[in-house]
Amino acid sequence: MKISKISLWSLDLTSHETYYMAEGKTCDTVESHVLCLETDTGHQGWGEVCPIPRYLPAYAKGVPSAVSEMAEGLLGVEPLGVDAVMRSLDALLPGHFYAKSIVDIALWDLFGRLTGLPLYTLLGGRTRTDMPVYHSITCIEPDEMARIAASAFQSGVRQFQVKLGTDANWEADAERLIKVRETVGSAPLVYGDWNCGASRLHATRTGRAVAHLDIMLEQPCKTLEDCAAVRQATGLPMKIDENAFDTVSLLRASELGCLDAVALKLSKFGGLSVMRRARDLCVHLGAEICAECTWGSDIVTAASLHFAASTPKGSLLNTCDLSSYVSPRLCPDAPSRNMGRIAPPEGAGLGVTPDRDLLGSPIIELV
């Protein structure tokens, strides 16, 4: 059995509302890619990747070229043994982890379908029935952010990511955090995320203004050293996101004392294969894990959910149902959140299959 065909689709995902982050980053309509690896026996594996513009060293237009470059390391290859295939692709195309993540996810899906097992079993075994989701609140006026938090709270959500920094005003950022905290009460998790868009001083002033509340900060500054300085100056726990992308960066964040929590994102690490190793290290270091990706619809969400469901007990902070923020939904059989929690799809592999009519014609077909 060999991989005999590679198909790639491009489609636009539109956020239900424009999503604002620091330094002018936005998510409105973003290009996503969907990949299908097919074997000569007719089995298929699906992957997805959706980079956000100006967010990480990744861009949507690079995916088709990278997939074409990797084709010689995929066509005619035995798909069982995902790590071996991905290591060969690392030699063929160094770097470009975001583009490799779409291939890696498809290989794992194919592996699961061939064995008849769900991905959470292959990734270490299911450790929980379902997982808490966090709700990400776009950075707009504080009162409107509080209204969004109230609506999400009523739906059962108990973890809230508050985007900060669009107006470079530390007092406004403090007001955003205070109003969301007041709205949802004292028990839920609330954390403020600048996506690297704050100076050390800005983040420290904001953190000290809310230090009387139970608040966590997420990646305020562009470097781990500055994030660690904010952690020390405010005494508030810190979640690292953009600066966590391999084992070296995880070890450095832990050494600096700012790795209370961490976002493990599929496209940052290059897919499930590498992220499993990162997860094991985070468990060892005592960092709680947010299992997710940068953006996307049902395929990348399903991969994140299987990863979250197999994360050891005590080490999972939350996960994110990215597909709930965008349209279209690609897979009619994909799960949705229920009372602030979500379960991984059932069935072999990812447990979801995209609607081919919705995908339309592929932009690349390689045999």
Side-chain angles (χ1 to χ4, degrees):
M1 179 178 56
K2 309 291 184 184
I3 296 174
S4 60
K5 186 177 182 180
I6 301 170
S7 302
L8 184 71
W9 290 262
S10 171
L11 71 157
D12 289 338
L13 299 179
T14 301
S15 302
H16 298 315
E17 57 183 329
T18 301
Y19 195 75
Y20 296 101
M21 297 173 280
E23 295 188 315
K25 303 181 186 76
T26 61
C27 279
D28 185 1
T29 297
V30 181
E31 184 180 7
S32 187
H33 284 90
V34 173
L35 178 75
C36 180
L37 300 179
E38 188 170 345
T39 70
D40 51 12
T41 57
H43 293 87
Q44 297 174 344
W46 294 88
E48 181 187 8
V49 68
C50 184
I52 297 175
R54 299 177 58 193
Y55 176 61
L56 290 170
Y59 67 110
K61 297 301 183 187
V63 175
S65 296
V67 169
S68 297
E69 286 289 322
M70 290 184 282
E72 69 176 87
L74 292 169
L75 291 171
V77 170
E78 163 65 56
L80 295 175
V82 180
D83 283 338
V85 179
M86 292 308 299
R87 287 192 180 102
S88 72
L89 294 181
D90 286 338
L92 182 65
L93 180 67
H96 299 276
F97 300 115
Y98 70 99
K100 286 176 180 167
S101 69
I102 192 174
V103 174
D104 181 89
I105 293 169
L107 285 168
W108 277 102
D109 185 33
L110 181 56
F111 185 21
R113 291 172 190 259
L114 287 168
T115 59
L117 295 171
L119 278 196
Y120 57 70
T121 298
L122 300 175
L123 295 174
R126 190 169 188 169
T127 60
R128 49 184 53 81
T129 302
D130 58 14
M131 297 78 62
V133 298
Y134 73 85
H135 189 82
S136 188
I137 304 173
T138 181
C139 188
I140 48 179
E141 291 302 311
D143 287 336
E144 184 62 13
M145 294 176 74
R147 183 198 65 77
I148 295 170
S151 177
F153 184 87
Q154 289 299 315
S155 74
V157 173
R158 293 297 181 267
Q159 299 195 29
F160 300 86
Q161 181 193 65
V162 181
K163 292 296 185 182
L164 304 173
T166 55
D167 43 16
N169 182 334
W170 74 266
E171 292 175 302
D173 284 341
E175 184 181 2
R176 290 176 174 111
L177 288 168
I178 291 168
K179 288 198 170 181
V180 169
R181 170 54 78 198
E182 289 174 345
T183 297
V184 303
S186 60
L189 176 66
V190 174
Y191 51 103
D193 180 18
W194 283 276
N195 293 107
C196 300
S199 68
R200 185 190 298 189
L201 178 60
H202 178 119
T204 298
R205 297 179 82 181
T206 304
R208 286 181 172 174
V210 301
H212 62 293
L213 302 173
D214 179 14
I215 298 288
M216 181 167 69
L217 305 180
E218 178 175 355
Q219 191 74 50
C221 308
K222 289 181 171 61
T223 70
L224 287 175
E225 288 74 16
D226 280 347
C227 289
V230 173
R231 170 74 169 85
Q232 183 175 17
T234 63
L236 296 176
M238 182 72 65
K239 176 186 172 190
I240 298 299
D241 181 359
E242 288 86 347
N243 281 147
F245 50 84
D246 59 12
T247 54
V248 174
S249 59
L250 292 171
L251 287 167
R252 178 59 176 158
S254 179
E255 180 183 71
L256 290 167
C258 59
L259 195 69
D260 299 294
V262 61
L264 299 186
K265 293 183 175 177
L266 292 159
S267 64
K268 280 195 303 181
F269 284 83
L272 292 161
S273 300
V274 181
M275 221 158 78
R276 282 189 310 160
R277 299 192 283 275
R279 177 182 66 189
D280 292 343
L281 179 58
C282 288
V283 172
H284 173 72
L285 296 173
E288 294 197 26
I289 295 165
C290 169
E292 59 175 347
C293 198
T294 49
W295 208 241
S297 188
D298 291 306
I299 299 172
V300 76
T301 294
S304 301
L305 298 183
H306 282 282
F307 181 85
S310 63
T311 295
K313 291 182 179 179
S315 295
L316 183 73
L317 180 70
N318 54 37
T319 189
C320 185
D321 55 340
L322 292 167
S323 54
S324 73
Y325 293 87
V326 301
S327 60
R329 295 285 299 263
L330 299 182
C331 306
D333 50 353
S336 297
R337 67 171 71 170
N338 180 31
M339 292 305 296
R341 302 186 70 86
I342 192 168
E346 300 296 337
L350 289 171
V352 297
T353 303
D355 181 347
R356 280 183 174 267
D357 290 335
L358 189 152
L359 292 177
S361 301
I363 58 171
I364 291 177
E365 284 187 314
L366 302 170
V367 294

